[in-house]
Amino acid sequence: MSSSLNQTKPADPIFFPQLGVLVFFGLIVVLIIMAVYPLPDWQVISPDRFAGISQEHPLGTNALGQDIAARAAQASWHSLRIGFIVTICAGFLGMLLGLVSGWYAGRWPDATILWLTGVMEAIPFYLFVAAVAYAFRQLSWSMELAMVVTFWTTMTRLVRAEVIRLKQRDFILAARAIGLSPAKTLTSHILPNALPVILVQFSMIFIAAIKAEVILSFLGLGNSSTISWGLMISESTQEVIAGHYLNFFSASILLFMLIYSVSLITDSLQTRTDPRQGVA
Amino acid sequence: MNPLVSIRDLSVSYPGRGTASALKHINLDIHHGETVGLVGESGCGKTTLALALMGMLPPGCAWQGEISIAGQQVDFYQQAGRASARDQCAMIFQNPQTSLNPVIAIGRQIIRIIRRRGGLEKQPTQQRLAEVLSLVELPAECSKLYPHELSGGMQQRVLLAMALARQANILIADEPTTALDASTRMQILALLNRLQQQQNLAVLLISHDLSAIARVCRQVLILYQGRVVEQAPQELIFRQPRHPYSAGLLAAIPKIHRRRPDKLLSLPGDASLEAVTSGCAFAPRCSRRDVYCEQQLPPLNCALDLQQRFACFNPRPIQGGLK
Amino acid sequence: MPIFIQKTLYSLSLLLGVTFISFMLMVYFGPDRSYAIAGKNPDAAQLEEIRQQLGYNQPLTSRYLGYIKDLASFNLGLSESSGKPVARLLAETIPTSLLLLLPGFLIGNLLALMLAMIAAWYKHSWPDRLLTNLSLLGVSISFLIIIIVLSTWLCTPQGLNLFPSRGWRVDGLSSWLTYATVPSLALIFVTVFFNLRFYRALLLDEMEQDYIRTARAYGAGPFAIMFSEALPNTLIPILTRLLFSLPAILVSGSLVLESYFGIPGIGKVSFDAIFNADQPVLNAIVSLSAVMIVVVTWLADFIYPRLDPRISQHLVVR
């Protein structure tokens, strides 16, 4: 053995943790440029089919001569909107149910919520969305509704586990001993401590919603009144065989950028807040 | 005769935990059949020394020095499963409950070790298993049980059986009795003593429990903040500790047979890795310190005494002893 | 055996919940078939008669009870679009889906486990970091994009053109390889990256345990530590993930794969049923998936005590 001074520091497993924020801002900048750039309306059909990249059509046109850049921009906003709506609704619903379930662990509200979680997890997601879309076909937001109703379950399970874990801690016992109400104890003592888990789960729901929306609209189960990445990819499957890649690439690269950046941010959030995942 | 284990000038530090090192310039020889006790407060580097011997320090340590076992220098990090002189070492741990694989029957856990050492003996595995179990005084039926079905004392016996199955010459025992209750502790120490004599094991017993050290060890090392502050045969150290820290440790043992227990003695201050001075690390807590102590580091051979070595400029006088 | 009874009751209540939701969505709020049956320009009396026959006028509870009775007696009815009995339709298509999905699913999980072992062994050094970064990249690529890229690359004249781009005429290993390779590759890709981080986290947790330290101290090598020491302790979460993702893979995963590659499996059947509003088929598939979940829960209760001696029989609660 040599008597050298050997030193290696364990590192963050992600090569560039800042990359997530960077990609996310890149995406936002691209979207802003697209919003500012004078693009034709995304619905307008022109005889200019499969046009290449030009000043008028920065990303070319599709099989109907529609401007891909305009469609991509519209689809991005559509995706982001669905992502945020579903995340906020499903996230808060799951959080609320998790808090109640964890607080009353072992009693009937907990049993009911757990049962509901089990039921929702036993129903195949895409079939459920299809059925909801049909049952509530008058509503334009039936897909969002279906996602909210199914995406809360993991959040509930996680928050419930956190509440049960924290409830045993001395500072919570002390808060309850001095007569703090359950609602106050939950919001001012338990919630802040469960926040890392909740934040991570919020972004997990966001990713799941974006991915699900893409697959649903690819399958034709989405909102047909607007354009989405899934529809663009669905259109492009025929175009790709004919050698026209612009539609496919613009949709898939935007989709990838969004999911990758949110995944990276989630991951560094997780590494920072979970001591077990963190640097030894 | 060459020592079985020889540690030369070993220093280890954990980056990110202050500038203080976990171990500083340790020299230690352990001969065949010798029993060495390592004493110190928690955080003084006892376990780091054991892990360094096993080549199992956490990655990212800074280290310096040499370790040889049976005359062979060993790498600082032991590659898992790679044969080396370290095969002569076995280690038992503080918490026997978690140190055994919870989902595997203990017989299989021992057999795995016997198989790994298979080349040396022609004895059938099952026979060898029965033999090591009887050596640690466990009934043979125990081999079918799982760790959670055993008591803490029995779990520690299983770990000792694993050490025997490994045919180790050196047994490193890191706080082996701390997690056990008082009566089991005595049984395990008695078993450790007997195995040591039967198998002529060299034992490195790490403990903050001086009574355990007194039962098992011939040679005692007292560690303070990563440095050996006193090293002497057990009888000497217990009768007349020279270093003020050793004296303090010994005085802190409550004595039952004393007529009226006076106030429990404790050392003032604590040993957390705060003040790093150029002088003696113990000086801030020491009642015998002088100006010199805070300037200069006392070497381990302050007196020309090969039996009892200590690192102190103002040692307690020889006749002092314990009150 | 009170726990046993409790479990049975819970499973039954789960089935009741799922069937109630599927009844409400697909039958109660579902398509009204009376117009289709009555033909063109029906008068009110005709419509009323048909509605009477179909039971539309009965109260909710008796309609639901009738629905449950039909399901319990496997009286799944006829598919509205093809006229075939639903039970036969399922019996024909489920084996196809299993043949298509199971190999990829298993290979993907096995591969993920192996890679996770490598990552956990080289914790925080370059193989671990490489795999972690790759898996983050991998999970960020949509399943659709993987399918399209793979099929364009392997199945079209622009790419290598090695495999047919659609269809399923399987009667042996070589024909299976012809039709299932590309879908399986896509499935493996997704499965590996979806599971890699989970398995890595599991194994990393185990690697911190004291018994791993003991195994190292007693001379166990990397393979022995991973396979004989750590793996037996992670089998329960791994198996849970495998078992509980199986119904989802079989129903939802097959939907995309089979509709894209035109493979007549359960996914294609449900895809067609969705677009034809073919209630009997959709009902059967939803109920089937709920039954699978219940069966899987039972299976887990049966297997877990064998994997971990600390778990006594029937104490697992998911």
Side-chain angles (χ1 to χ4, degrees), chain A residues 13 115 122 211 241 267 276, chain C residues 13 133 139 158 197 205 275 289:
Chain A
W115 171 79
K211 281 185 167 178
I241 296 168
D267 191 80
R276 283 180 313 169
Chain C
S13 74
N133 284 280
V139 291
Q158 283 147 292
R197 307 209 67 203
D205 261 9
F275 282 97
S289 139

Side-chain angles (χ1 to χ4, degrees), chain C residues 114-177:
Chain C
M114 298 298 128
L115 291 175
M117 283 182 172
I118 294 172
W121 184 257
Y122 294 104
K123 176 181 127 180
H124 295 314
S125 57
W126 70 265
D128 179 29
R129 301 183 69 194
L130 185 71
L131 285 170
T132 305
N133 284 280
L134 270 182
S135 76
L136 257 179
L137 267 176
V139 291
S140 303
I141 302 175
S142 169
F143 190 30
L144 292 176
I145 295 172
I146 295 156
I147 293 177
I148 293 170
V149 168
L150 275 178
S151 70
T152 312
W153 177 42
L154 294 171
C155 307
T156 64
Q158 283 147 292
L160 302 174
N161 207 9
L162 295 173
F163 298 96
S165 61
R166 284 176 71 80
W168 185 263
R169 273 185 296 276
V170 171
D171 49 14
L173 183 65
S174 68
S175 59
W176 182 84
L177 283 174

Side-chain angles (χ1 to χ4, degrees), chain A residues 4-275:
Chain A
S4 66
L5 224 84
N6 169 347
Q7 211 180 83
T8 52
K9 209 177 170 179
D12 193 320
I14 299 302
F15 288 142
F16 312 107
Q18 309 87 337
L19 192 66
V21 182
L22 220 72
V23 174
F24 192 77
F25 277 109
L27 183 70
I28 298 295
V29 167
V30 168
L31 291 183
I32 288 172
I33 290 173
M34 282 170 148
V36 170
Y37 196 88
L39 291 169
D41 188 80
W42 65 270
Q43 283 171 303
V44 169
I45 296 171
S46 72
D48 199 6
R49 301 168 63 236
F50 292 128
I53 292 171
S54 66
Q55 187 137 30
E56 193 192 351
H57 301 295
L59 292 173
T61 59
N62 68 3
L64 292 173
Q66 292 164 314
D67 184 72
I68 290 174
R71 291 169 75 77
Q74 174 74 16
S76 306
W77 291 118
H78 175 67
S79 263
L80 284 173
R81 194 180 60 84
I82 285 189
F84 280 115
I85 290 175
V86 171
T87 307
I88 289 167
C89 296
F92 278 104
L93 179 66
M95 202 170 83
L96 199 71
L97 290 175
L99 288 175
V100 172
S101 179
W103 186 261
Y104 294 106
R107 284 184 271 165
W108 69 264
D110 178 42
T112 314
I113 290 170
L114 274 185
W115 171 79
L116 205 60
T117 318
V119 168
M120 291 317 296
E121 283 172 354
I123 298 178
F125 171 67
Y126 292 105
L127 299 193
F128 181 77
V129 174
V132 168
Y134 192 89
F136 299 99
R137 54 197 171 282
Q138 304 93 335
L139 301 177
S140 61
W141 39 272
S142 57
M143 181 164 68
E144 287 93 321
L145 179 75
M147 283 193 208
V148 169
V149 173
T150 39
F151 282 177
W152 56 272
T153 54
T154 316
M155 177 73 100
T156 298
R157 284 191 191 281
L158 289 174
V159 172
R160 177 179 181 271
E162 277 293 282
V163 174
I164 290 174
R165 189 176 66 85
L166 289 166
K167 237 170 47 173
Q168 312 301 323
R169 295 287 186 80
D170 289 339
F171 68 95
I172 303 292
L173 292 176
R176 292 168 73 186
I178 60 168
L180 218 59
S181 72
K184 191 93 180 97
T185 314
L186 278 173
T187 48
S188 58
H189 290 284
I190 289 183
L191 211 51
N193 283 289
L195 209 58
V197 174
I198 292 173
L199 279 180
V200 167
Q201 191 53 32
F202 262 110
S203 50
M204 297 281 196
I205 296 177
F206 184 80
I207 293 171
I210 300 283
K211 281 185 167 178
E213 192 275 334
V214 166
I215 289 195
L216 285 171
S217 42
F218 176 85
L219 291 174
L221 293 169
N223 186 344
S224 51
S225 66
T226 183
I227 183 72
S228 88
W229 288 332
L231 270 177
M232 290 175 73
I233 293 173
S234 163
E235 287 170 4
S236 70
T237 50
Q238 291 311 308
E239 302 172 8
V240 162
I241 296 168
H244 303 291
Y245 298 106
L246 279 171
N247 210 2
F248 177 71
F249 278 131
S250 23
S252 51
I253 287 171
L254 283 170
L255 170 63
F256 170 75
M257 274 172 82
L258 181 61
I259 296 181
Y260 187 53
S261 61
V262 177
S263 304
L264 276 172
I265 293 168
T266 312
D267 191 80
S268 54
L269 201 69
Q270 218 163 7
T271 326
R272 243 166 252 185
T273 52
D274 184 357

Side-chain angles (χ1 to χ4, degrees), chain B residues 122-134:
Chain B
K122 290 282 165 273
Q123 208 175 10
T125 318
Q126 286 299 332
Q127 201 180 324
R128 176 81 182 133
L129 171 66
E131 188 185 310
V132 293
L133 282 177
S134 75

